[in-house]
Amino acid sequence: MNFPILSIIIFTPITMAVLILLLPSERPGLIRGFALTAAVIAAGLSVAAYISYDQAVGGYQFVEQLRWIPALGISYHVGVDGMNLPLVLLTGVVIFTGVLISWGIDDRPREFFAFLFILATGVFGVFASLDLFQLFFFFEIAVFPMYLLIVIWGWKVTREYAAMKLTLYLFIGSVVSLVGALAMYFTSGLGTFNMLELEQAAFTPAFQRLWFPFVFLGFAVLGGLFPFHNWSPDGHVAAPTAVSMFHAGVLMKLGAFAALRVGIMLLPEGARFWAPYILVLGTINVIYGALIASVQTDFKYVIGFSSVSHMGLVMLGFATLNLNGLTGAGLQMFSHGVMTALFFAVVGIIYDRAHTREIPNLGGFNKVMPLVAVAFIVGGLVSMGMPGFSGFVAEFPIFLGLWQVQPIVALIAALGIVITAAYIMRVVSGVFFGDMSAELAGHIGPVRGQDKVALAVLAGILILIGIFPAVMAPMVESGASAVVRIVGGM
Amino acid sequence: MASQAALGSMVISILPEILLLVLVIVVLAADLFWRAGRQYLGWLTFAGLALTLVAAMVYSRPAGASSLVFGGMLRHDWPAFSFQVVFLFAAAVTCLLSVGLSDIGDQGEYYALVVVSTLGMSLMAASADLIMLYLSIETTSIPLYVLAGYLKRDDKSAESGLKYFLFGALTSTVMLYGFSLLYGLSGETNLYRLAEGLRVGAITPWVLGGVAMLTVVGFGFKIAAVPFHFWTPDVYEGAPTPIAAFISTASKAAGFAVLVRVMLVAFPSIEFTWTALLAAMATATMTIGNLLALGQHNIKRLLAYSSVAHAGYAMIGLVALSELGAASLVFYLVAYIVTNLAAFAVVVLFARSAGSEEIADYAGLSRRAPGLALVMMVAMLSLAGMPPLAGFVAKFYVFAAAVQSGWIWLAFVGVLNAIAGLYYYMTVLKVIYLYRSDDEDKPIAVPGPHALALALCVTAIVIVGTISAPWLDWAMAAAKGIF
C-alpha cells in the first residue's frame, strides 16, 4: 500500500479541529500554533502531491479505495488527475495563507480555527472524491461551517442576513443536485456510486437532458452562475478575511468543479444539449458582474462582484466542451482562486487598519504599505489577463475555445476584460495612490509579518504561473483531455 | 422435551419484557424500603435498562427465521428486536436525564412508569395480533399520560397530561373501531392470517381503504403526523423535559414500528391506496411541521414541531414500499432518536441551571458553556441533515428510497423541507453562538449522569453518521424480517 497522501491531506484539518477544540481557550498562542501546524502539513503535502504526480502516466493517481457502505455500493474513494490536483494545491495554499491572515483573530480563536479546518476537510474531500456519495458528504461538510464563520466573525452590519442567505442558497443547490445524483444511481442499474463506473453508464439522451439542469445548476449555485450568484457578493463582504479568501478562492471552485465532475462528466449528452444556455448565462456573469463591480464604492463589494465576473469565464470554459476551453477553465479556477484570495487578504489588511472600505475615503496606502500595494497590483494585472501573469495563461485558452464554438460569445465576453481593467484601475488609484485623508493619516498601523508572508506567497504563485505556464498548463490539459474524451468534443 | 425446548425459546423471545417487568418491581421495592439518598433511583433504573439491553443483544437476538410465539400473539423477528434495542436505549438515556431533577428525579413511581411504558413499546414492536397490539399500545400510552402530567403543582404539566390523554383516548377508540372492522371483514385477529383473509375475500378496496385509514388515525397520533399532531407542542412544552424527550423519540418510534408492520403485513392488497394516502400525509407532515417550527420562541415547542416534521421524512421510507424504504425508515428513526435525545439533554441541562426554555435566553451559551453549545450544534446540524452526522445519511437513505421507487416529487418535497428545517436550526445556533447575554459568567452545571447521556448520544450521532454500513445492514435485516 502506498503512502495515503490524499487521506492525510483530507483528514489532517478535521483532526486538528478536534484537537484545537480540546485546547484551553485562554491559550490563543497555542491554538494558533496548532492551526499553523495543520495548515503547513496540509499545504506541504498538497505541494508534494502536486510535484510527485506523474504526468507521463496521467489519469487518476494516489488512488485509495475503501468499502464504506457496501449495501449501496458506496466507497471511500479518492484520487487526483490533472483537473483536480491543482485545486487540491489551491486549497492547501489558501488554508496556509488564510491561517496567517487570521493571526489577529482574538474573539474565540479556538472555535474560529476549528470551524475553518472542518471547512478545509470538506473542500479537500470534494476535490479528491471519486465517489458520488462521498462528494456530497464532503460538500455539505464544506457548507455548514461557513454559516458560523460568517455569522460570528463577520462584518457586523450584514453578517446575519448574508450568512443565512448564503447557507440556504448553497444548501438548496446541493440538495437539488442530490436528487439528480440519486436518479443517476438508480437509473444506471450499476448499484454503485463510483463515478468512474457511472461515467460508463450510458444514460439515455432523454434522461440526461432532463436531469442535467438539476445537477449542473445545483452545483453551479456555489460556482456563482447567474442568476444564482446573488448570495456570493453579500457572503464575501460579510465574511471575515480568511473566510472570504476561502469562500471566493476555493468554495466557488468547489461548485464549479462539482458541476463539471458530476454534471458534465456523468451526463455528457445533457451537457452538449444545454451548453448553449450555459454560454449565455456565463456571458451574463462576465459582463454583468464586471459592470456591477465597476459602480461599487465599497472596496470589498468590488472584489465580490469581480469574483462573479471571473467565475463566468470558468463557466464559459466549461460550456465550450473543447480542449482549449476546459484547459482554460481549469487554469482559471486555480488562478482566480489565488488571485481573489490575494484581493480579499488586501481588503482585510486595509479594513483592519482604516476601519472603512469606502473607496472615496481611502487613498495613499502605497506610502504606508508599499508591499501590500504591490501585491494588490499583481492581483489586478492577473485579473485583467495581462500577459506574464497567470490570468493570461488561463483566459487566453478560454477565449480560443470560445472562438471555436461561438466567436460572438468570445467577442462579448472579451468586453468583460475591458470593464475589469477599468474597475481595477479605479480601485488601485482610489485606494493606493492619491493622498490619504487627514483622519487616517498617521493612524495606520504596520502590516504584520504573517500578512506579508501570505501576500508574498500568493503573489509569487501568480507570477510564477504567468512566467512558467509549464508548471501547470500541461497538467490541466491532461485533465481536460480526459473530460473531452467523455463529452466527445474537439 | 420438544415442548420444553419450544417453551425455552418462547421465554427467550420475551426475555427483555420479563427483565423490564422485574425492573419495575425492583424499582418500586427499592423506593419503598431504601429511602436514603434518592439519587440512586435513576442510576438503578439506568443500570437495569442497560442490563436488559445487553441481555437482549446477547440472548434474544432472533436466530434464523422469524417465528410467531405465544399462540401468534407476538412475533420474534428482526424488526421487533431492532426496535426494542432502540426503545431500551432511549429509556436508559431518559432515566439519566431525570436524575437530580426536582419533583421527578427522586420518585420511584416515575422511573417505574418509564419502564412500564418501555415494556409496552417493546410489546408493540413485536405484536402480531390486533388484540395484543391494542393492549400494548395502551400499556405504552397510559403511563405516558401520567408522566406528562407528573408535575402536579405545575399547571402546564397538568394541561399537558390531560391534553395528551384526551387526544390519545380519542384516536385510540377510532383505531379500535378500525381493528373491529378488520376482524369483522376477515374473521381473524392475527395480522399475518388476517392478510390472507383480506386477500382471498372479495372486499371492495374502498371499504378496506377506509378501514386502513381508521387504523392510521391511531398510529398517526403516536408518531405525531399531521393532522394528528395538535397535541405535540403543548404536551412537549408542559411535560417534564426528559418525558418530552422520551415521547418524541421512543414513543414515536413505537408508533412507527406498528405502522410499518400493520401497513406492510395487513394491507398489501391495497398498497396503491395507502401509499398515496401516506405520501399525502408525509407531505403535509413535513411541510406543516417545518413551517410552524419557523415561528417558535420556546425551544421545546420548536423541537416539537421539528419532531412532527421528522415523522414526515421517516414516512417517506414507508411510502417507498421497498426493502430499502423500510430499512431507511428504521435507520432514520435510529438517527433521529439519538439526535433528539442529545438536543433534549441540552434543554434539560440549560433549564436546570438557567431556569428557562426560551430560545432567546440561550444567547451567550457558547461563551457560558462551550461544550454544551457544541453538543447543541451537533444535535441541530444532525437534525438539519448535515454530514458527518447521523441525520445526513438518514435523510440520504430516505430520499434514495423515494427516488428508487419513482417518488421523485416526494423526494423533492423532502429536500425542500430540509432547507426550511435548516433555517430554524441555524437560527438556534445563531442565538447560541452570536448573541451576547448578561449571564455569560454564570456557569451551567453538567452533573455526571447528564454528561454520560450527552457522551452516549454524541458518540452515537457521529458513529451512525460516519460508519453507517453496519447500522444500515442491521436496518436491512429488520426490513427483510417484517414479511
Side-chain angles (χ1 to χ4, degrees):
Chain A
M1 188 64 205
N2 299 325
F3 182 64
I5 188 163
L6 290 177
S7 293
I8 296 180
I9 294 176
I10 293 171
F11 292 108
T12 298
I14 202 163
T15 314
M16 214 47 112
V18 174
L19 288 180
I20 288 174
L21 281 176
L22 295 175
L23 294 174
S25 59
E26 60 272 13
R27 301 277 303 277
L30 194 65
I31 290 163
R32 287 183 193 120
F34 268 71
L36 189 61
T37 314
V40 167
I41 294 173
L45 286 176
S46 14
V47 172
Y50 188 84
I51 293 169
S52 49
Y53 179 86
D54 190 345
Q55 288 192 37
V57 178
Y60 289 101
Q61 296 183 13
F62 311 113
V63 175
E64 298 164 46
Q65 189 169 14
L66 291 170
R67 283 146 50 93
W68 190 0
I69 308 173
L72 293 176
I74 292 168
S75 54
Y76 169 76
H77 192 182
V78 292
V80 283
D81 72 351
M83 210 65 190
N84 54 3
L85 186 50
L87 296 172
V88 171
L89 177 67
L90 169 69
T91 313
V93 169
V94 176
I95 187 76
F96 172 66
T97 50
V99 168
L100 288 180
I101 290 285
S102 313
W103 212 253
I105 294 253
D106 50 5
D107 175 24
R108 286 172 287 175
R110 181 174 63 161
E111 277 84 356
F112 178 84
F113 285 115
F115 294 154
L116 192 66
F117 281 130
I118 293 172
L119 177 69
T121 284
V123 174
F124 278 127
V126 174
F127 284 145
S129 274
L130 293 179
D131 184 281
L132 194 48
F133 173 84
Q134 185 197 340
L135 188 139
F136 278 101
F137 189 87
F138 282 109
F139 194 90
E140 305 287 358
I141 292 184
V143 170
F144 80 75
M146 205 45 123
Y147 176 78
L148 292 169
L149 284 168
I150 296 178
V151 91
I152 302 175
W153 292 277
W155 184 38
K156 288 192 174 54
V157 180
T158 58
R159 60 187 178 187
E160 290 181 39
Y161 161 75
M164 188 61 87
K165 181 169 169 181
L166 176 149
T167 315
L168 293 182
Y169 259 84
L170 302 191
F171 197 60
I172 291 175
S174 74
V175 292
V176 168
S177 303
L178 179 67
V179 178
L182 287 170
M184 281 189 234
Y185 169 77
F186 288 112
T187 310
S188 75
L190 298 174
T192 178
F193 278 94
N194 184 336
M195 287 197 277
L196 303 181
E197 290 177 36
L198 286 172
E199 279 170 9
Q200 318 293 329
F203 298 108
T204 61
F207 175 86
Q208 300 201 23
R209 286 176 193 165
L210 172 66
W211 284 103
F212 180 81
F214 290 98
V215 175
F216 185 86
L217 294 180
F219 285 123
V221 171
L222 180 51
L225 184 66
F226 180 89
F228 312 111
H229 66 286
N230 204 284
W231 57 272
S232 110
D234 286 326
H236 295 335
V237 169
T241 303
V243 177
S244 305
M245 289 167 65
F246 226 86
H247 207 283
V250 179
L251 269 139
M252 292 182 88
K253 278 78 208 169
L254 201 69
F257 171 76
L260 172 72
R261 177 52 54 82
V262 184
I264 295 177
M265 290 176 77
L266 298 187
L267 300 171
E269 170 55 32
R272 280 194 291 277
F273 181 78
W274 290 98
Y277 303 93
I278 302 170
L279 276 180
V280 173
L281 293 180
T283 313
I284 297 175
N285 257 56
V286 172
I287 302 294
Y288 170 84
L291 283 175
I292 302 283
S294 54
V295 295
Q296 296 297 319
T297 54
D298 184 319
F299 193 7
K300 210 169 182 182
Y301 266 107
V302 175
I303 308 300
F305 278 101
S306 91
S307 283
V308 174
S309 170
H310 283 101
M311 287 309 290
L313 286 173
V314 174
M315 293 296 170
L316 286 178
F318 287 168
T320 62
L321 300 177
N322 60 30
L323 185 59
N324 281 327
L326 285 161
T327 307
L331 287 165
Q332 173 76 353
M333 283 200 275
F334 184 85
S335 158
H336 173 254
V338 177
M339 172 194 93
T340 207
L342 173 70
F343 279 160
F344 279 115
V346 170
V347 174
I349 289 168
I350 290 178
Y351 179 70
D352 284 347
R353 285 156 187 82
H355 304 289
T356 176
R357 292 191 309 253
E358 287 299 312
I359 296 172
N361 300 344
L362 297 167
F365 273 80
N366 71 326
K367 296 189 191 74
V368 284
M369 38 180 83
L371 202 100
V372 174
V374 169
F376 187 86
I377 292 166
V378 168
L381 293 172
V382 170
S383 182
M384 296 178 221
M386 196 64 75
F389 296 93
S390 65
F392 178 75
V393 177
E395 288 173 14
F396 189 65
I398 294 181
F399 284 104
L400 273 183
L402 278 176
W403 193 267
Q404 283 168 287
V405 281
Q406 277 296 346
I408 182 76
V409 173
L411 284 175
I412 298 173
L415 282 177
I417 295 195
V418 180
I419 308 172
T420 305
Y423 70 73
I424 291 291
M425 286 193 278
R426 185 173 68 99
V427 169
V428 169
S429 70
V431 175
F432 293 101
F433 295 101
D435 295 318
M436 191 172 277
S437 61
E439 58 207 271
L440 288 182
H443 297 290
I444 301 298
V447 180
R448 274 190 306 266
Q450 289 91 345
D451 293 344
K452 288 180 184 163
V453 173
L455 293 180
V457 168
L458 294 169
I461 292 171
L462 294 174
I463 297 170
L464 177 71
I465 292 175
I467 299 175
F468 301 109
V471 296
M472 186 163 283
M475 180 185 281
V476 175
E477 195 172 335
S478 76
S481 65
V483 182
V484 170
R485 268 199 302 283
I486 289 169
V487 298
M490 280 174 283
Chain B
M1 281 305 284
S3 68
Q4 255 180 1
L7 186 68
S9 79
M10 277 162 74
V11 170
I12 285 292
S13 71
I14 56 161
L15 183 69
E17 287 86 348
I18 295 174
L19 290 175
L20 286 175
L21 197 60
V22 172
L23 182 60
V24 173
I25 297 164
V26 169
V27 170
L28 285 177
D31 183 41
L32 261 183
F33 298 114
W34 188 11
R35 310 215 41 109
R38 311 302 299 260
Q39 293 292 331
Y40 75 90
L41 276 170
W43 281 109
L44 176 71
T45 322
F46 169 74
L49 288 165
L51 204 68
T52 312
L53 183 60
V54 172
M57 298 276 260
V58 174
Y59 295 109
S60 41
R61 194 194 280 262
S66 316
S67 54
L68 287 171
V69 290
F70 292 100
M73 283 291 155
L74 296 175
R75 195 161 188 268
H76 186 48
D77 57 10
W78 272 97
F81 170 68
S82 314
F83 276 108
Q84 281 160 359
V85 169
V86 170
F87 303 149
L88 288 169
F89 179 83
V93 171
T94 305
C95 291
L96 284 182
L97 294 183
S98 310
V99 174
L101 295 190
S102 57
D103 292 337
I104 56 171
D106 52 355
Q107 311 261 319
E109 302 89 341
Y110 172 85
Y111 293 109
L113 284 169
V114 170
V115 177
V116 171
S117 183
T118 314
L119 171 64
M121 291 172 191
S122 183
L123 290 170
M124 267 168 89
S127 292
D129 192 286
L130 292 177
I131 294 174
M132 193 62 214
L133 195 58
Y134 186 72
L135 287 176
S136 57
I137 289 177
E138 292 304 303
T139 312
T140 308
S141 300
I142 292 169
L144 288 179
Y145 304 147
V146 181
L147 287 168
Y150 204 86
L151 302 172
K152 290 180 283 287
R153 279 180 285 277
D154 179 357
D155 287 348
K156 276 195 169 170
S157 178
E159 181 199 334
S160 157
L162 192 62
K163 200 162 211 165
Y164 195 29
F165 168 69
L166 288 176
F167 263 89
L170 182 67
T171 51
S172 104
T173 41
V174 176
M175 177 182 69
L176 192 59
Y177 184 54
F179 284 1
S180 69
L181 289 175
L182 270 181
Y183 173 68
L185 292 171
S186 67
E188 286 284 354
T189 54
N190 184 284
L191 284 174
Y192 288 80
R193 285 198 294 272
L194 174 155
E196 293 299 314
L198 295 181
R199 208 172 284 151
V200 179
I203 300 156
T204 13
W206 286 109
V207 174
L208 204 50
V211 175
M213 278 174 76
L214 291 179
T215 57
V216 164
V217 171
F219 307 148
F221 162 76
K222 291 249 52 128
I223 65 174
V226 174
F228 314 109
H229 68 289
F230 291 99
W231 56 275
T232 328
D234 292 336
V235 170
Y236 284 19
E237 191 188 359
T241 311
I243 292 308
F246 193 54
I247 294 175
S248 77
T249 55
S251 168
K252 189 185 285 274
F256 269 108
V258 291
L259 178 70
V260 170
R261 197 188 286 276
V262 171
M263 284 295 142
L264 291 179
V265 171
F267 298 109
S269 52
I270 49 159
E271 271 166 2
F272 183 75
T273 315
W274 68 254
T275 47
L277 173 77
L278 285 187
M281 260 175 88
T283 306
T285 305
M286 287 184 284
T287 313
I288 292 178
N290 278 324
L291 289 182
L292 293 178
L294 291 176
Q296 299 304 318
H297 301 295
N298 178 297
I299 188 81
K300 278 161 86 176
R301 291 184 80 87
L302 180 117
L303 286 171
Y305 282 113
S306 117
S307 93
V308 172
H310 281 279
Y313 298 122
M315 281 166 83
I316 296 179
L318 181 55
V319 172
L321 203 65
S322 61
E323 218 162 75
L324 178 62
S328 72
L329 187 154
V330 175
F331 191 95
Y332 197 95
L333 289 173
V334 171
Y336 162 76
I337 283 173
V338 292
T339 308
N340 226 33
L341 285 172
F344 270 106
V346 177
V347 175
V348 168
L349 282 169
F350 187 77
R352 203 171 158 272
S353 287
S356 167
E357 287 162 359
E358 291 300 307
I359 294 172
D361 292 334
Y362 279 71
L365 185 67
S366 77
R367 292 166 205 272
R368 207 169 164 180
L372 213 53
L374 205 63
V375 174
M376 196 59 159
M377 182 170 88
V378 167
M380 289 290 136
L381 290 176
S382 179
L383 284 174
M386 285 292 186
L389 308 170
F392 172 74
V393 264
K395 281 209 172 66
F396 180 81
Y397 294 149
V398 168
F399 297 147
V403 172
Q404 185 191 27
S405 306
W407 290 94
I408 299 209
W409 68 265
L410 195 56
F412 270 114
V413 170
V415 296
L416 293 177
N417 265 291
I419 293 157
L422 182 69
Y423 177 82
Y424 59 80
Y425 296 127
M426 289 277 199
T427 309
V428 175
L429 292 182
K430 180 170 79 179
V431 173
I432 290 177
Y433 273 93
L434 177 62
Y435 295 157
R436 307 294 300 249
S437 108
D438 299 335
D439 304 326
E440 274 166 20
D441 49 343
K442 292 179 196 149
I444 290 185
V446 182
H450 298 81
L452 177 60
L454 289 176
L456 280 177
C457 292
V458 170
T459 316
I461 292 171
V462 174
I463 287 184
V464 172
T466 49
I467 312 168
S468 70
W471 313 99
L472 182 67
D473 291 344
W474 191 342
M476 285 284 196
K480 284 195 188 88
I482 292 173
F483 302 100

